[in-house]
Amino acid sequence: MKVFRCDHCRQLVFFENVRCVSCGHTLAFLPDLGVVGSLDPAGGDRWTNPLPRAGGRAYRLCHNYTTHDVCNWAVPADDPHALCQSCRLTTVIPNLSREGNKAAWFKIEVAKRRLVYTLLALRLPPAARADDPAGLAFEFLADPDDPARPRVLTGHAGGVITVNIAEADDATREQVRNQFHEPYRTLLGHFRHESGHYYWDRLVRDTPRLDAFRAVFGDERADYAEALRRHHDGGPPADWAARFVSAYASAHPWEDWAETWAHYLHVVDALETASACGVRLLPPRAGDPAVRAIPNPLGDGPEPFDVLIESWFPVTYLLNNLNRGLGLPDAYPFVLTPAAVRKLRFVHDTVAETRRPA
């Protein structure tokens, strides 16, 4: 994530902010500029941004910004859509007449916007279903009141990502994490993982990269349902940590790709944040982790993979020790073995080969 500042007073602002706490200007994320910009009223429902590269163009606030307060993105004034580029992807929202559902929807949309930000920065913009039958759609659903009916499962099928809104409740999500012995479970992690399934269909399936994928991840033609049954009944293989980025990645090559894809998005987002903040790691002794200049993997051109991964290991050391100093669990509770790094390299190369021109 970039570091943003108010265009009017230079106050530090964050990706989720809607108003500058210093000068009071309305804020919105402007996808065409890739920034959280401060806005000036321009008559009616129109706003302008003072940056020279905005060129005086007018914007409207997303309908979910003005009506429901669950969004903080803007839409170019000449765009016929009422919803922003992120909200347009959501096709089913929770029943807002139920207590707590709006708060859950807000949390879910916050996580989804962070995913969309990274995909836009990687130049892999997801198309909405309304614009492309092969586009991406999100459905945010609650479990039925009748306990005899099936619960909503978070997952992906045919370009539709379903999220059980119970995942927005921290206590519930932590309970599920402990139940499945997971080291990490977040809303953003869900979005990154499930988007991996969607992008496997778009970037790997039926492409010349498929044979290379099988050489690295295994043959995805193995029975998926049976593989998941074996994993849930018997657990991961004893040596999973030497070959996979997570225990769940060992269930099937599709899950291995999705887990690796999610980790790649973790890496590039965290490295962009570290780069934007000017982080430097200068060791006091030889042999300590060192990064003199954190690369920005979401810049104009893809950084070489070796540069990214060499920077990532020291950053995880910093992240985890900062958390431990605050009495919190590790921010990145994973170990990347050479086999996992090889898979991350495949994801990186796939993104670099398929990203759209600037």
Side-chain angles (χ1 to χ4, degrees):
M1 185 61 63
K2 296 175 183 175
V3 171
F4 304 108
R5 292 190 178 277
C6 174
D7 306 308
H8 288 82
C9 71
R10 306 308 297 163
Q11 170 72 26
L12 182 68
V13 298
F14 297 94
F15 186 61
E16 289 78 20
N17 288 163
V18 296
R19 186 168 298 278
C20 176
V21 297
S22 176
C23 68
H25 274 84
T26 296
L27 303 174
F29 181 71
L30 311 177
D32 56 336
L33 302 183
V35 300
V36 174
S38 51
L39 301 175
D40 292 310
D45 63 350
R46 299 195 170 207
W47 303 79
T48 57
N49 175 266
L51 288 176
R53 61 193 181 101
R57 72 177 64 96
Y59 296 92
R60 290 179 285 105
L61 300 180
C62 174
H63 177 75
N64 285 340
Y65 190 153
T66 58
T67 305
H68 298 294
D69 293 325
V70 298
C71 181
N72 71 328
W73 283 27
V75 183
D78 58 359
D79 190 324
H81 294 91
L83 297 174
C84 71
Q85 196 168 356
S86 176
C87 289
R88 215 172 296 165
L89 300 171
T90 302
T91 57
V92 178
I93 67 171
N95 180 354
L96 299 184
S97 67
R98 295 290 186 91
E99 184 178 357
N101 278 8
K102 183 176 179 180
W105 182 32
F106 172 81
K107 289 182 180 180
I108 291 170
E109 290 288 357
V110 166
K112 190 193 74 179
R113 285 195 294 276
R114 286 204 166 238
L115 168 71
V116 175
Y117 167 88
T118 304
L119 296 176
L120 293 176
L122 289 173
R123 298 183 196 154
L124 297 173
R129 276 295 171 90
D131 303 321
D132 181 353
L136 183 59
F138 292 88
E139 297 183 350
F140 304 142
L141 303 172
D143 287 325
D145 293 332
D146 183 355
R149 293 177 59 194
R151 294 171 57 84
V152 173
L153 297 179
T154 294
H156 168 270
V160 178
I161 292 176
T162 301
V163 175
N164 187 325
I165 66 169
E167 290 285 344
D169 180 73
D170 295 341
T172 299
R173 193 174 59 254
E174 181 66 9
Q175 182 180 18
V176 175
R177 188 190 69 79
N178 284 317
Q179 177 185 346
F180 288 101
H181 308 290
E182 297 171 341
Y184 174 95
R185 189 181 184 94
T186 68
L187 277 172
L188 183 53
H190 282 317
F191 280 113
R192 287 174 172 165
H193 174 97
E194 301 303 342
S195 74
H197 290 298
Y198 171 76
Y199 278 96
W200 188 89
D201 288 343
R202 300 299 293 262
L203 306 181
V204 179
R205 188 184 69 179
D206 301 328
T207 74
R209 285 179 285 277
L210 185 56
D211 287 340
F213 167 86
R214 289 171 179 165
V216 175
F217 290 88
D219 194 335
E220 85 291 347
R221 292 170 293 188
D223 189 291
Y224 180 68
E226 174 61 20
L228 291 189
R229 185 196 63 78
R230 283 198 309 269
H231 176 79
H232 290 304
D233 289 349
D239 66 341
W240 71 263
R243 298 185 288 129
F244 301 95
V245 75
S246 70
Y248 188 53
S250 68
H252 187 274
W254 280 338
E255 298 303 340
D256 195 5
W257 161 271
E259 285 287 88
T260 305
W261 173 273
H263 274 71
Y264 182 72
L265 298 190
H266 292 334
V267 170
V268 297
D269 185 271
L271 286 180
E272 186 193 38
T273 305
S275 175
C277 291
V279 172
R280 300 289 186 272
L281 302 182
L282 304 177
R285 296 186 303 274
D288 286 354
V291 178
R292 292 188 176 272
I294 304 287
N296 178 6
L298 298 179
D300 292 334
E303 294 278 357
F305 178 77
D306 289 336
V307 173
L308 298 186
I309 204 66
E310 288 170 8
S311 301
W312 179 238
F313 288 119
V315 169
T316 64
Y317 172 88
L318 173 64
L319 286 172
N320 287 342
N321 277 282
L322 285 172
N323 265 30
R324 292 176 190 182
L326 296 172
L328 297 171
D330 284 352
Y332 187 77
F334 303 98
V335 175
L336 295 180
T337 64
V341 170
R342 182 186 177 206
K343 294 170 183 176
L344 283 168
R345 183 186 297 274
F346 183 91
V347 171
H348 174 83
D349 292 345
T350 299
V351 169
E353 292 166 7
T354 55
R355 55 192 264 143
R356 293 184 181 180

